[in-house]
Amino acid sequence: MTHSGNPFGQVLVALVTPMTADGEVDWPSVEKHIDDVITAGADGIVVTGTTGETSTLTDPEKIRLVEVGKDVAAGRAKIITGGGSNETAHAIELYQKSEKAGADGIMIVTPYYNKPTQAGILTHFRLVADATDLPVILYDIPGRTGVPIKYETILRLAKHPNILAIKDAKGDFSEVSRVLNQTGLMYFSGDDANVLPHLSIGATGLIGVTANIAAGPYRAIVDAVNRGDLAAATAQHRKLEPLVRAVMTHVPGTVSAKYILHGLGRISSPRVRLPLVGPEEWEAAIIEDELALVAGVEGVDFSNFRPDRNAAAGGALPKVPGTTR
């Protein structure tokens, strides 16, 4: 299929997956949270990504997240499915099912743990992209996968008609510029602290964790860059800095984002699934110290922040169909 323009949006939220206190997906909270971030300015939602705890979601949960996302978005935002698998056949199966469930696009992460060669990475991405008509975002995050997508591999992948974009969490700005100069790929910032720097050298948008909490300021940054107003974009960037630090620095972003969203009363529980656990007492204290520095961020009022460190402590095992847990 030939894809034209930008089929993904610009302000994409790497959605957390709200869960109940016993670790089940909290579907009413999922619906509410998706509606909240879209209302705040997101025009794209990435479900079942790293932030969504893809590694501990079941396949049926992943497909249902796409279905729920489509229902709630109702055309207001694109629903992109992330995660996939480090097994090529399993990744293809998941993305094909996601396409049938209504996904607007897919984000394919470099196979993790296997540490394939660049030839293996190239083959994995090509076979997955061949297996669906959906537009594809490549996800380059060597800190989690163990291997980068090298520049030469990106150039070859950019020739595939379904591969339209790349999410960059590598932090190599010179490579971003090289790829933008040599391909037609869209770039999405995958590092919350570097959203504005990425946009300033030509990135299309962002796929952000902190946007779960404050999508509005990211909308303002993108809109300001689109109209060439660097001063307005910089002002929003500076206001967000302590919040980004609170979310992304001390514990995994999923953990801190859920802790903060729960403290704001926006999700029912801060629970994550093992091996992730909630912040320890000292970690929670540091996060709260950072939040005390947040001021003037649109849509976020920390005067009513009520963290529950006891609710956040520990993790939860997902229940497995056909078993007692």
Side-chain angles (χ1 to χ4, degrees):
M1 178 179 290
T2 300
H3 303 279
S4 59
N6 175 3
F8 307 113
Q10 288 187 282
V11 180
L12 279 64
V13 176
L15 199 80
V16 299
T17 304
M19 295 178 182
T20 63
D22 62 359
E24 293 295 298
V25 177
D26 184 344
W27 295 106
S29 281
V30 170
E31 294 180 11
K32 178 182 180 299
H33 186 48
I34 291 173
D35 186 67
D36 284 348
V37 296
I38 294 174
T39 300
D43 55 7
I45 308 291
V46 176
V47 296
T48 77
T50 305
T51 307
E53 299 178 70
T54 185
S55 297
T56 52
L57 293 173
T58 66
D59 286 2
E61 287 171 337
K62 293 176 184 179
I63 303 307
R64 188 175 175 191
L65 279 163
V66 174
E67 295 169 342
V68 170
K70 286 291 288 186
D71 287 344
V72 175
R76 296 176 295 161
K78 301 295 185 181
I79 302 300
I80 314 301
T81 186
S85 173
N86 63 336
E87 179 197 5
T88 304
H90 187 206
I92 288 171
E93 178 186 7
L94 281 172
Y95 288 129
Q96 288 177 334
K97 288 180 178 179
S98 295
E99 182 174 14
K100 290 179 181 177
D104 296 299
I106 62 176
M107 187 173 74
I108 314 174
V109 70
T110 310
Y112 41 88
Y113 190 74
N114 317 62
K115 296 187 74 173
T117 63
Q118 292 298 303
I121 292 170
L122 183 71
T123 303
H124 177 84
F125 282 131
R126 281 177 170 170
L127 286 176
V128 175
D130 283 343
T132 173
D133 285 332
L134 293 176
V136 171
I137 303 172
L138 306 175
Y139 187 11
D140 189 9
I141 182 166
R144 287 188 179 272
T145 64
V147 290
I149 312 173
K150 290 188 177 179
Y151 169 73
E152 294 78 12
T153 305
I154 294 172
L155 294 187
R156 296 172 75 181
L157 288 166
K159 297 176 182 178
H160 194 289
N162 286 348
I163 296 175
L164 303 189
I166 185 164
K167 176 184 177 183
D168 179 82
K170 196 158 50 181
D172 185 341
F173 285 87
S174 62
E175 182 173 289
V176 174
S177 294
R178 288 180 75 194
V179 173
L180 287 172
N181 280 340
Q182 298 299 321
T183 76
L185 289 177
M186 293 174 278
Y187 250 85
F188 287 90
S189 178
D191 181 352
D192 287 6
N194 284 326
V195 167
L196 181 55
H198 272 128
L199 291 170
S200 72
I201 59 172
T204 297
L206 63 118
I207 301 175
V209 181
T210 309
N212 280 279
I213 300 158
Y218 286 105
R219 177 83 265 162
I221 288 173
V222 167
D223 289 346
V225 171
N226 287 345
R227 66 176 184 268
D229 189 347
L230 181 60
T234 301
Q236 293 290 341
H237 168 82
R238 294 181 69 177
K239 288 179 182 179
L240 280 168
E241 188 273 331
L243 180 59
V244 170
R245 194 168 61 246
V247 173
M248 303 302 295
T249 305
H250 308 293
V251 294
T254 303
V255 174
S256 51
K258 282 188 168 185
Y259 182 72
I260 295 167
L261 286 166
H262 181 250
L264 290 169
R266 289 169 52 183
I267 60 175
S268 63
S269 167
R271 277 292 186 172
V272 289
R273 285 182 179 170
L274 289 167
L276 293 181
V277 295
E280 295 188 59
E281 187 82 10
W282 64 272
E283 292 168 330
I286 294 174
I287 291 170
E288 291 164 30
D289 286 345
E290 305 280 23
L291 295 179
L293 302 175
V294 177
V297 174
E298 177 192 342
V300 181
D301 180 6
F302 283 107
S303 65
N304 294 317
F305 186 64
R306 299 291 183 271
D308 186 342
R309 296 181 185 178
N310 290 328
L317 290 170
K319 290 185 178 178
V320 179
T323 72
T324 57
R325 72 168 178 87

